[in-house]
Each structure stands twice: as C-alpha cells, then as structure tokens.
Amino acid sequence: MNATDVMPLESPARRNFLRTSIQAGVGLTIAITLPLPGCVTGRDTQTSATASEFAPNAFVRVAPDSTVTVMIKHLEMGQGAYTGLITLVAEEMDARWDQMVGENAPADATKYNNLSWGKAQGVGGSSGLSNSYRQMREAGAAARYLLVSAAAEQWQVSRDSIRVQNGTILHPPTGRNAEFGEFVMSAARQSLPDNIPLKDSSQFVYIGKNVPRKDTGKTDGTAIFTQDMRLPDMVTAVIAHPPRFGAKVQQVNDSAALNVPGVLAVVTVPSGVAVVAKDFWQAQKARNLLQIQWDESAAFSQSSEQLLQQYHAAAKQTGMVAAARGDIGKGFAQASKIIEATYEFPYLAHATLEPLNCVVHIRPDGVDVWNGCQMQSGDQDTLAKLLAVSPQSVNIHTLYAGGSFGRRANPVADYVVETAQIAKAYGKPVPVKLQWTRENDTRAGYYRPLYVHRLKAGLDKAGNILAWQHHIVGQSILKGTPFESMMVKNGIDGSSVEGASNLPYAIPNFQVELTTMDAGVPVLWWRSVGSTHNAYATEHFLDQLARAAGKDPVQYRLGLLQGHPRHAAVLKLTAEKAGWGRPLPNDTVQGVAVHESFHSYVAQVAQIKRQADGFRLEKIVCAVDCGVAVNPDVIRAQMEGGIGYGLSPALMSTITLSNGSVVQSNFHDYQVVRMKDMPTVDVHIMPSVEPPTGVGEPGTPVIAPAVANALLASTGKSYGKLPLAETFI
Amino acid sequence: MQLQLLINQQQKNVDVEPDMPLLWVLRDHLGLTGTKYGCGMAQCGACTVHLDGSPVRSCVLPAQAAVGKSITTIEGLNSSTGKAVQKAWDDLNVVQCGFCQSGQIMAAAALLEQKPNPTDADIDNAMSGNICRCATYVRIRAGIHRAATLRVNTTISAEGLV
Ligand code: FES
Ligand code: FES
C-alpha cells in the first residue's frame, strides 16, 4: 500500500484525535472495566481486566497490580507492532518494561484508525509505527500525567516535585514512593490540561534502545494464532477451489465425502465447495473425495508464457505516461550510446507459513470473527454487507498472524468472505473455522502480479545519462477494488510505478510509462508492493549503465544523487561497512543497490563467491535510514527478514500458470529460502532525528538487484529474469 | 480406533481414525496447538515434535506409529537443552511472526542433544527442513550457538536457567 498521504506527525487532526479520545474515555471516571467484548489476546485471554482499572484513554489501562496494558491497534504479524507501540507508551509513562503488556484492540475505527489512512483501521505500507508515533506517546503521557496528579493530591505535594522513574512514582523531598497501581482509583478523578508535554529525545529511556519483544508466547507454544482457535461447538471447514480462476461449480457428487466419519456437511459457496467436519483431518480427507464438475466457460485459461508474449509486445509500444521531465526524444538523439534491457518477473505467492484461515461465528444478534486481521475496517464493512448486519455488530477479534506480507490485507477480503459464506451456508449458529491447506494457499491467487519491464537509456561520451525511458507492463493491484478511486489516478495505479516514477537519479530527460494489462488472475500487494519489481529493474539497469560508462557503481550512483542526501548517505555507509572497493579474493565480488520505499532508505551490498558448482551468497551488508530508530533491534530484525524474504524470488520462487492452472502447489515446488540459503546479514542504522518511517517492507526490494549486480560483476552478463538463472549453492 | 499415546510424559487415550497423522491428534483432539500445520507434506517443519528424542514431522506420521514411543511437543519441552534453546531465543529476540518457531525450537533442541557444539554446516543440515517465511534464519543460527554455550556455562534450576 502506498503511504504517500501520511499525515504530518504534528498535525492538529492528530492532536484533536487524542484529545477527543481522552475525553471520550469516560471523562476519566474510573471504569470498572470489563474485558472488551471478546477481546482474545495472543497472550492470555484471562488477564483482561476484571478488577478496577484506570483507563485514561482507549490505549492504556493500569491495573491495581500496576500492570499497564496497551491496546495494540495494528495486527502483529511479526513486524514488531507490540514491541513498537508498547515502547512509545512505556517511554512517556516512564514505566518498567516488565510491567507492560499488549492486547489486541477490537475493530473500532472510531478509536483505533490508522492515522495515515484517515478513518480506517488497519495497517500496511509499513505505516504501523509512523502513524502511531505521536498518538501512542500522547496516550502514555496522558496516563502518566493523571497518575502524577493523583499522587500529588494524595501526598499533598506539588506535581512538579514528583518524578516517575522505571514504573515508580517518587517524591524525592519526602522520600515517598509508590507504584502506578496505588493510584488507579484516584487517577481517574484527575483532569487533563490541553497540552501535555512530551519528552525531549534527550530524555528517552526506551526509544532507541533494545528491549525484549512483547509479542510473547511464541517460544513455548502458548501464543494463539487463528489456526489454534478452539471454541465450544466449533466445526472445521476445508475447501476445494476450482482448478482455474473464474470457474464456477456446476455439479457436485459428495456421496463419498459424506461417508467420511466426522463429516457434517458439504456446502457450495461462490468460490468453491467446502466440507464441514468435526476436525481438520476428516474435512481434508472428505474434501479430497469430492467429485466436482466445474463450469470453466468464463475461466482464465492462459499460460504464463502467453502472458509474457503479450506483455513483451505491449512493452514495445508506448504506455501511459506516469512521470516525465525534459524530452527523452531529444536526449536519445544526443546520446552517443544507447542501452536497452527487458526484465521479466513471475507471479509470486505470499506463502505465509500459517496457511490462510479465519473463524466466523454467525450468532442471531451479531457476528464474531477471529482472524489475523490486517484491515479491520475493510473486513468489517465487507462482512456487514455480505451478512446484512451493521458493521458495529461484526466483532473482529484480531489474533497474531503467522505472517502476512500483505496477504491478510485484501481489499476484497477473500478468505474472510469465504469463511462467512461457508458459515452461512452451513446454517448452524456455531463457530466455523476455515483452514486452507498449503495447496489452497499456493493456488488460490492474489499474487504479486507478473510484469515485463522495458528500459532504454542514452549515455553521452563521458557516460552521463542523458535520457531514461522505462515502460512497466502488468496487472493493476488496485483496479476493481474499493481502493481504486483513491489510488488509481488518471488510469495510473500508483502502486505499479512506485519506486520507478520517483527514481532519485538526476537524469535530465526522463519518462516512465505504464501499460495496465487485464488478466483474470487475482493479484495483490506483496511485501514492498511496486518496489518488488521496480527496484530490480531500475537498480540492475543502473549497474549496466555504470558498466557501459566504465564507472564504479557506487561512485556512479553518488554522482547522480546530488539532490537526495538520504539515499547517498545509506549508500556511502553500506559501501564503507562492506569494504567496497577494497581488494577481494579473485573468486569473490560485490554488488550494490539502493532504494527508497515507504519513506525509508535502504542500501545493500551483496557479496558472492564463485565456486566450481555455482555461486555462494556469503554476506549482505545493509544500511537503513528510517528516521528515529525507535527499536533498533526490531529494525535490524526487519532488515534481516526483509532480505531473506526478498531472496526467495531473487533465487528460486515462481508461480507459473499453465492453461490457466497454477503449476505449483506446496513448498516442494514453490521453493523458498531455507537456512542453508541464508547469508550472514550485517545491518547498520543511520542516526536520525527525522520522524520514524516503516521498516517492514523497505529491506525486501533491494536484495535482488544487489545480488544480480554482484553476478553482473562476476560474469559480465545482465540478468533479465527473476529468479536469477545462475545456480546458488 | 483407540490409541494410547505417551505425550509429554503423560498417557493419553484418544479415539481417532487409524490414518490420522499425529499432528491432528495433538492439535484437534488433545488441544496441544503449539505444534503447527504449515504444509502437511514434510516440507516446512512447523509440525516438528520429538519421538523418543528424535525430531519427526508429525504431519506425516500416523498416530498409530507413535504408540509405545515417547512423544514430546513444544508444550512439554522441559529438558535443560530445550530450556536453553528457549532462553537463547528470548535473549536474541529470534521470533517474528512466531508461527514456525515451535518447530524450529524442537529441531534445534534435537540437534543440540545430538551435537552439543554444532558447526554452521551442522546447523544448515539439521535446520534446512524448517522453513521460516519471516526469514529469522540469521537469529536462529545465532540462537543455536548461544544455546550451546548456555548449556555448558549455566546451571539449570527447576525454574529454568539461572
Ligand atoms: S506441516 Fe509438517 S512439515 Fe510442514
Ligand atoms: S517467525 Fe514467521 S515463519 Fe518463522
């Protein structure tokens, strides 16, 4: 998702938001807060407050035992939402790290909207921390203010003479001290001023430091994912999808399936035929016995090969202009050397390790949904329409997600809708868990689209780039979704060209074109969205130009980055840390790439070694500038993981269509990076005072061009296709 | 069919179809949901448990084949090696989404029981059957090395590592 319309951190809208939410927080009367309806946390459903707690706002609760619970408004999918949001609250409260816990917020966009998305609750575009940075600090500061006021009242001292340190409220002149929990009742009676000051960065005790993660339960098996939901009377559904996208069920013979012990029903829904059973194994076994005739008259029946041919033909024409400056015709006319390249990118599955799943319980008076839910508002509205109920009566219980990478944020909420349709068709008022098999997950689409890129550049005698023309051909992710009106402008889907249309290099004559293709294959954003292909095309091409110009790739880029100091700085830092330019063993080479996505800047150097039976990817050096580093260790983890995630499509992953069918089905043929494939990763974080920006995605797009550029340095060949053709061992 | 299984040192009686893999007995019949389903065909390692101490993929192991053997799941990983692995994981903030980590920890603990001081090549061999889509591999490797050190250097009390 695009994060272009991020609200400035200090905007009045944000301040108003917090004021209102604090005031709406019951005018700070203390609540005997009950657990929010059905608020299942990934941690422990039983610790939700049942005793008197102090709840100064929608984000913070303080219990009599001084436990501070932070409501986490964004899905935790591994990116560190719990740790990041809790850090911000703990910082302003001066709390003790071990007294802080997180709890998934309910779906309620009036309180838990993403401030960079307007009114909607959800997360994406690496916006989780950036949109919450001020909001969560203000929530913590408000809680602290009220607790200090309560202490001042009780001790009959001035507020100013009170300090808070590491979870303890202290009055140094008298030596009095107390824990937060002592003031739970009286804090609720205090009032808040208009302006609560936030800490100066020099006073930070948590921001910028390493802390243990707060999404607990993940090393002892106690964390609850959607797959692990067990509810009274719950049944499990396994679905058969059509072999081709767009096919419809014509006829079902379910007699063999119904004979499997434990099977309760076979239901037909628009997306396929589902077996409902007492447990997964029975449901899957019966699903495999279904005999289904599909109506394929409207089904997509082309192959990847055919699409590539069409896309290559389209790429030779002129596309819609997405960005332009100067006059490329003139630039090419003046050039002494013209360089051209085409690049192909296959469809990619997200392949979260937890195959998609969802639990829906349609009750007479409402609907409960348990899901690793990335876009609460979208899912809520879609389900409300589908089931003809009000959005407020759709209770979404967000659970930890076993990965998402964009897949659990589908504007059309595919698997969530599918679960609700099965529950509706089953017709009993019991919870229905839909569990996709790995095969469902691999073949049901919503892929990163297949693309063809065509690039052309004109260089002068000295190797300067006079003209750059870049044509991107592929499906639009947003066309036909509720996001189209917002994010497709004048026929240009911004997510198709991001990272290409805003190329930072100083090139006088520049044009980026887009041709949007229609293919009946469902597509979706995939970790780092447009940058997944645009970073490769632009950065690998730039290395080819540097080579043609006889220039060092780092120096060549720096010469073109005059107006872009943050790109230049990460590039220099990475080069320095990687020992760029220093002599290496004969068989060892390095490749570099730099790219900005979601307002974060990342450069990487990949070092590869040529061996008798192929290349060995030895190490990656990475520098990132993401503004203020709130949790340096989470940033490092996201760079490591982002690199690993991006390495799969660089080296091995492909979804291929053959006559409309997906060839791959499970991890044996949809290959992904494993331990043996993973190089060492060395991450460096640029010190910064800029507002924090995302880290979940920006590490991913840079690795493929860095590796391809290392190969180029070794073999002298350019690489026109991902995954890369060379063997890696 | 009635099966008697020894799981985490406890005898459990279950009534399941004979071909049901151990994974689904654990998850759907015994509520031991720490062991995960990721692929169902021994490709990802999310379902790794110990059978008489050896790591096995429970998604392809018929429950019947586990009768008479000792099954350990993440919930029952009480050995000092297991505790060392869990501590190392927490110390290094290894997890991201966490979905693979029960399997990773079970595989790592089994490796360390066999090779108390594994090399990187040993780790590649023993751990490449466990996919982590969040690609926490760098830290899993570091975690295994750290756990190896913890096992040697620390005493294990009843409450865990001290
Ligand atoms: S679920 Fe058993 S190996 Fe993947
Ligand atoms: S931590 Fe997400 S799959 Fe490993």
Side-chain angles (χ1 to χ4, degrees):
Chain A
M1 267 157 284
N2 235 314
T4 42
D5 38 15
V6 171
M7 198 190 280
L9 289 170
E10 309 275 343
S11 78
R14 284 190 179 201
R15 279 197 297 276
N16 284 341
F17 166 82
L18 191 87
R19 291 274 312 276
T20 339
S21 67
I22 288 174
Q23 282 152 5
V26 265
L28 308 170
T29 30
I30 207 33
I32 304 289
T33 359
L34 295 169
L36 286 148
C39 211
V40 179
T41 71
R43 187 173 49 82
D44 182 352
T45 55
Q46 298 315 311
T47 54
S48 288
T50 47
S52 311
E53 286 190 318
F54 164 53
N57 51 57
F59 296 99
V60 182
R61 298 200 313 261
V62 184
D65 71 356
S66 295
T67 299
V68 178
T69 303
V70 178
M71 298 305 280
I72 307 296
K73 67 175 183 170
H74 295 313
L75 172 67
E76 174 65 68
M77 48 190 146
Q79 85 282 33
Y82 270 59
T83 311
L85 301 184
I86 291 172
T87 297
L88 300 174
V89 173
E91 181 65 68
E92 294 293 341
M93 283 186 83
D94 282 307
R96 238 183 9 260
W97 190 247
D98 65 9
Q99 77 187 140
M100 305 296 296
V101 298
E103 182 175 307
N104 288 309
D108 180 354
T110 64
K111 298 191 184 87
Y112 301 115
N113 57 326
N114 184 323
L115 299 184
S116 54
W117 289 9
K119 291 199 169 83
Q121 184 179 353
V123 70
S126 298
S127 62
L129 193 87
S130 59
N131 94 91
S132 312
Y133 185 58
R134 194 163 177 102
Q135 181 182 44
M136 298 304 289
R137 287 178 61 196
E138 286 177 345
R144 179 190 197 276
Y145 189 96
L146 296 167
L147 289 166
V148 168
S149 295
E153 184 186 85
Q154 188 162 323
W155 294 340
Q156 298 286 304
V157 300
S158 73
R159 288 191 86 260
D160 295 346
S161 60
I162 290 179
R163 288 197 300 125
V164 184
Q165 203 177 10
N166 208 22
T168 305
I169 304 175
L170 306 147
H171 185 247
T174 58
R176 264 189 284 212
N177 65 76
E179 298 279 301
F180 294 165
E182 285 189 35
F183 302 108
V184 155
M185 295 310 271
S186 51
R189 290 193 306 268
Q190 309 297 320
S191 57
L192 275 179
D194 276 355
N195 233 328
I196 310 159
L198 297 183
K199 280 185 181 176
D200 181 77
S201 59
S202 62
Q203 301 167 283
F204 286 163
V205 290
Y206 292 118
I207 295 176
K209 305 283 167 12
N210 293 331
V211 289
R213 284 181 76 105
K214 282 295 185 187
D215 45 345
T216 50
K218 293 179 173 181
T219 53
D220 59 9
T222 56
I224 298 294
F225 297 82
T226 306
Q227 185 177 99
D228 307 327
M229 280 307 295
R230 289 161 60 83
L231 294 162
D233 302 320
M234 189 181 83
V235 294
T236 299
V238 174
I239 191 161
H241 287 136
R244 292 185 171 79
F245 298 113
K248 298 264 168 285
V249 179
Q250 196 163 47
Q251 222 181 2
V252 185
N253 179 346
D254 57 11
S255 47
L258 285 169
N259 277 336
V260 173
V263 170
L264 301 165
V266 173
V267 298
T268 297
V269 292
S271 54
V273 183
V275 174
V276 179
K278 287 193 185 137
D279 68 34
F280 175 89
W281 179 248
Q282 299 159 335
Q284 186 192 37
K285 209 157 127 184
R287 190 271 317 257
N288 296 346
L289 294 171
L290 289 170
Q291 291 174 332
I292 308 167
Q293 257 178 5
W294 303 95
D295 169 5
E296 298 198 327
S297 53
F300 181 76
S301 61
Q302 290 195 296
S303 299
S304 293
E305 271 311 306
Q306 289 168 296
L307 292 178
L308 285 170
Q309 272 174 23
Q310 293 156 20
Y311 286 23
H312 276 291
K316 292 194 182 109
Q317 314 294 315
T318 309
M320 290 181 75
V321 176
R325 58 177 178 264
D327 176 345
I328 52 165
K330 229 166 80 188
F332 285 127
Q334 289 166 359
S336 59
K337 203 184 246 180
I338 300 283
I339 303 191
E340 292 180 89
T342 55
Y343 302 110
E344 291 176 5
F345 304 89
Y347 287 110
L348 294 175
H350 301 73
T352 56
L353 195 63
E354 178 182 23
L356 291 177
N357 46 19
C358 181
V359 180
V360 171
H361 184 188
I362 304 175
R363 294 178 283 104
D365 56 341
V367 183
D368 281 292
V369 181
W370 290 266
N371 178 23
C373 181
Q374 197 177 336
M375 293 203 305
Q376 287 86 355
S377 295
D379 288 4
Q380 203 173 30
D381 288 349
T382 306
L383 284 183
K385 279 198 198 91
L386 178 80
L387 301 171
V389 296
S390 70
Q392 293 75 24
S393 61
V394 178
N395 297 321
I396 298 181
H397 311 273
T398 299
L399 303 173
Y400 287 152
S404 174
F405 318 117
R407 185 62 182 86
R408 284 182 175 270
N410 188 344
V412 300
D414 63 325
Y415 67 96
V416 178
V417 165
E418 189 171 82
T419 313
Q421 283 167 332
I422 294 168
K424 203 172 147 189
Y426 182 53
K428 303 228 162 52
V430 297
V432 176
K433 181 203 278 183
L434 170 67
Q435 178 60 61
W436 279 11
T437 60
R438 174 57 56 194
E439 290 76 12
N440 286 140
D441 195 276
T442 308
R443 310 185 100 158
Y446 294 99
Y447 301 131
R448 195 291 303 274
L450 176 146
Y451 289 99
V452 169
H453 288 232
R454 195 173 165 83
L455 284 103
K456 182 176 168 187
L459 305 184
D460 69 12
K461 289 221 166 56
N464 299 307
I465 308 174
L466 297 179
W468 172 287
Q469 185 179 18
H470 182 177
H471 188 181
I472 301 159
V473 179
Q475 284 172 262
S476 161
I477 290 168
L478 295 161
K479 201 173 156 183
T481 74
F483 287 57
E484 179 171 356
S485 58
M486 253 183 325
M487 288 160 84
V488 180
K489 304 243 161 74
N490 303 321
I492 303 282
D493 178 342
S495 77
S496 302
V497 297
E498 64 185 0
S501 57
N502 54 340
L503 193 74
Y505 301 119
I507 299 169
N509 306 294
F510 175 82
Q511 184 158 306
V512 176
E513 298 155 28
L514 174 69
T515 297
T516 300
M517 306 297 278
D518 283 315
V521 181
V523 292
L524 189 61
W525 32 57
W526 189 102
R527 195 174 190 172
S528 83
V529 197
S531 292
T532 59
H533 47 109
N534 289 322
Y536 184 81
T538 55
E539 283 296 283
H540 189 43
F541 192 54
L542 202 88
D543 248 47
Q544 290 167 250
L545 302 187
R547 209 175 160 79
K551 302 262 172 70
D552 171 78
V554 170
Q555 292 310 320
Y556 195 59
R557 284 178 173 80
L558 288 174
L560 293 164
L561 284 171
Q562 299 301 340
H564 295 271
R566 295 178 78 179
H567 285 84
V570 289
L571 183 57
K572 276 191 216 157
L573 180 62
T574 313
E576 178 203 317
K577 297 290 183 187
W580 182 270
R582 270 188 254 141
L584 290 165
N586 261 345
D587 52 1
T588 304
V589 291
Q590 294 183 327
V592 70
V594 61
H595 188 78
E596 179 253 313
S597 55
F598 308 101
H599 310 291
S600 292
Y601 304 78
V602 175
Q604 289 166 13
V605 166
Q607 181 166 315
I608 63 172
K609 185 183 170 88
R610 188 198 272 274
Q611 288 173 211
D613 41 357
F615 288 94
R616 172 141 199 102
L617 184 51
E618 289 188 324
K619 71 167 180 185
I620 310 296
V621 179
C622 171
V624 52
D625 172 358
C626 54
V628 172
V630 174
N631 298 117
D633 192 55
V634 172
I635 294 168
R636 271 191 290 277
Q638 285 306 299
M639 290 302 121
E640 293 159 6
I643 287 167
Y645 196 75
L647 262 180
S648 290
L651 303 183
M652 55 189 81
S653 306
T654 308
I655 288 287
T656 320
L657 293 173
S658 170
N659 301 320
S661 292
V662 179
V663 172
Q664 292 76 16
S665 61
N666 203 315
F667 287 122
H668 64 290
D669 51 8
Y670 188 70
Q671 304 255 0
V672 296
V673 157
R674 293 169 180 273
M675 177 63 87
K676 64 182 170 47
D677 310 306
M678 190 72 190
T680 63
V681 179
D682 181 14
V683 178
H684 302 273
I685 302 170
M686 289 292 295
S688 172
V689 292
E690 299 292 326
T693 47
V695 294
E697 296 169 274
T700 297
V702 194
I703 185 62
V707 173
N709 291 343
L711 286 174
L712 173 66
S714 176
T715 65
K717 289 191 291 187
S718 64
Y719 292 81
K721 269 184 201 181
L722 289 186
L724 294 163
E726 303 287 349
T727 311
F728 280 81
I729 46 167
Chain B
M1 131 184 234
Q2 291 282 344
L3 299 179
Q4 201 183 49
L5 297 170
L6 179 62
I7 300 174
N8 300 332
Q9 328 264 328
Q10 288 179 356
Q11 291 291 346
K12 299 274 178 193
N13 293 307
V14 290
D15 186 8
V16 296
E17 291 120 277
D19 61 344
M20 185 180 280
L22 178 62
L23 172 65
W24 299 107
V25 176
L26 294 172
R27 292 185 53 81
D28 283 353
H29 291 257
L30 297 169
L32 294 169
T33 55
T35 307
K36 307 299 184 198
Y37 162 74
C39 71
M41 58 180 292
Q43 288 291 316
C44 78
C47 63
T48 306
V49 299
H50 295 173
L51 195 64
D52 285 343
S54 298
V56 294
R57 310 298 183 214
S58 65
C59 68
V60 292
L61 182 81
Q64 230 181 130
V67 172
K69 310 213 159 141
S70 170
I71 301 157
T72 308
T73 71
I74 185 78
E75 290 90 350
L77 184 67
N78 295 323
S79 65
S80 56
T81 304
K83 295 282 165 216
V85 173
Q86 284 166 323
K87 178 162 189 334
W89 254 235
D90 289 339
D91 288 351
L92 300 181
N93 279 341
V94 169
V95 308
Q96 290 189 25
C97 86
F99 196 77
C100 71
Q101 298 295 348
S102 298
Q104 305 281 3
I105 288 168
M106 296 309 283
L111 166 65
L112 286 166
E113 291 290 0
Q114 242 201 349
K115 296 204 165 146
N117 205 359
T119 63
D120 279 342
D122 294 333
I123 293 174
D124 282 351
N125 279 336
M127 301 301 293
S128 286
N130 287 74
I131 291 173
C132 175
R133 288 294 288 147
C134 302
T136 62
Y137 300 118
V138 171
R139 291 185 188 213
I140 291 174
R141 186 185 301 280
I144 293 173
H145 287 309
R146 180 172 171 80
T149 316
L150 286 173
R151 275 181 92 226
V152 178
N153 292 348
T154 53
T155 44
I156 314 288
S157 76
E159 300 83 52
L161 289 172
V162 288

